[in-house]
Amino acid sequence: EIEMTQSPVTLSVSPGGRATLSCRASQSVNRNSAWYQQKPGQAPRLLFYGASIRATGIPGRFSASGSGTEFTLTISSLQSEDSAIYYCQQYDNWPPYTFGQGTKLEIK
Amino acid sequence: QLRLQESGPGLVKPSETLSLTCTVSGDSINRTNDYWGWIRQPPGKGLEWIGSIHYTGTTYYSPSLKSRVTISVDTSKNQFSLSLSSVTAADTAVYYCAENYYYMAVWGKGTTVTVSS
């Protein structure tokens, strides 16, 4: 089973700033990774798949990159609405699909 | 627009079977390339994939839950279902269904299931 490890656990950034979230896979997953955003009381929402392909409706200030074992989600021009928990997921070697433990992003 | 909606009991007794249904609307569940999945999230914790099913009936399950999980599909109703047997308090979670093309593209809103006597 591939383990996905996210860092940091919590990130606090000022409005208008930039946040960089990391995800590391325990073995190569090529580019078969995805990112999700989950706001309190809501279901997760797909942000990116294929490591860097933006899902429908996701603003351009969200970007993602990486391959192999290292992946990055970057959010620029941070807004209060970006406060959420962000999860990465691998789908290269399954079952099972596995998720990271999440990074909580606070805007303040 | 594809939508998914979970339904089922919110309270299940320990040792009994948890049963949930996901109703798909806005498109047919008979999509060649798509699977349909179940994911859960215990209170205050992260996401755990439970399993997925293709409309043909092909299933994949998480190894950690495989002995207790059954996922089925009813194409006539555009629904798929989850059964989890011998539940304990550790199975208390929000259960989500999702369109599963490797990644989870569209999610239901989730339903909370509490295991308690």
Side-chain angles (χ1 to χ4, degrees), chain A residues 36-54:
Chain A
Y36 303 87
Q37 176 193 64
Q38 186 179 34
K39 297 181 179 181
Q42 296 185 17
R45 177 175 70 148
L46 177 68
L47 297 176
F48 291 91
Y49 59 94
S52 62
I53 301 172
R54 195 176 290 111

Side-chain angles (χ1 to χ4, degrees), chain A:
Chain A
E1 174 174 324
I2 295 178
E3 184 174 351
M4 305 294 281
T5 303
Q6 294 184 240
S7 61
V9 173
T10 303
L11 181 62
S12 184
V13 185
S14 299
R18 176 189 295 195
T20 301
L21 289 66
S22 297
C23 178
R24 174 175 292 179
S26 59
Q27 65 187 73
S28 176
V29 298
N30 298 295
R31 295 183 60 82
N32 296 316
S33 67
W35 287 95
Y36 303 87
Q37 176 193 64
Q38 186 179 34
K39 297 181 179 181
Q42 296 185 17
R45 177 175 70 148
L46 177 68
L47 297 176
F48 291 91
Y49 59 94
S52 62
I53 301 172
R54 195 176 290 111
T56 302
I58 304 304
R61 55 196 185 79
F62 287 79
S63 62
S65 63
S67 65
T69 62
E70 301 286 342
F71 300 91
T72 301
L73 173 67
T74 302
I75 313 169
S76 59
S77 302
L78 281 164
Q79 303 174 7
S80 58
E81 66 196 47
D82 299 329
S83 289
I85 298 176
Y86 292 83
Y87 294 95
C88 60
Q89 178 223 337
Q90 69 82 21
Y91 51 91
D92 186 76
N93 190 331
W94 63 279
Y97 296 113
T98 49
F99 295 87
Q101 82 282 12
T103 290
K104 183 177 183 179
L105 175 62
E106 300 175 335
I107 312 301
K108 58 182 180 180

Side-chain angles (χ1 to χ4, degrees), chain A residues 34 36 38 42-46 49-50 87 89 91 94-97 99-101, chain B residues 39 41 45-47 49 52 60-63 96 100 102-105 107-109:
Chain A
Y36 303 87
Q38 186 179 34
Q42 296 185 17
R45 177 175 70 148
L46 177 68
Y49 59 94
Y87 294 95
Q89 178 223 337
Y91 51 91
W94 63 279
Y97 296 113
F99 295 87
Q101 82 282 12
Chain B
I39 303 98
Q41 185 171 38
K45 296 188 177 181
L47 302 167
W49 175 74
S52 299
Y60 295 95
Y61 298 131
S62 172
Y96 296 101
N100 174 199
Y102 300 105
Y103 48 88
M104 315 301 163
W107 297 64
K109 292 184 177 181

Side-chain angles (χ1 to χ4, degrees), chain B residues 51-115:
Chain B
S52 299
I53 190 166
H54 190 257
Y55 80 91
T56 56
T58 299
T59 53
Y60 295 95
Y61 298 131
S62 172
S64 66
L65 295 170
K66 188 173 185 176
S67 64
R68 298 194 292 130
V69 173
T70 301
I71 298 176
S72 59
V73 64
D74 186 337
T75 56
S76 67
K77 295 182 179 179
N78 233 34
Q79 295 177 333
F80 61 105
S81 298
L82 168 70
S83 291
L84 180 65
S85 64
S86 305
V87 297
T88 69
D91 295 309
T92 293
V94 177
Y95 285 76
Y96 296 101
C97 59
E99 177 200 12
N100 174 199
Y101 179 70
Y102 300 105
Y103 48 88
M104 315 301 163
V106 179
W107 297 64
K109 292 184 177 181
T111 187
T112 299
V113 178
T114 302
V115 178

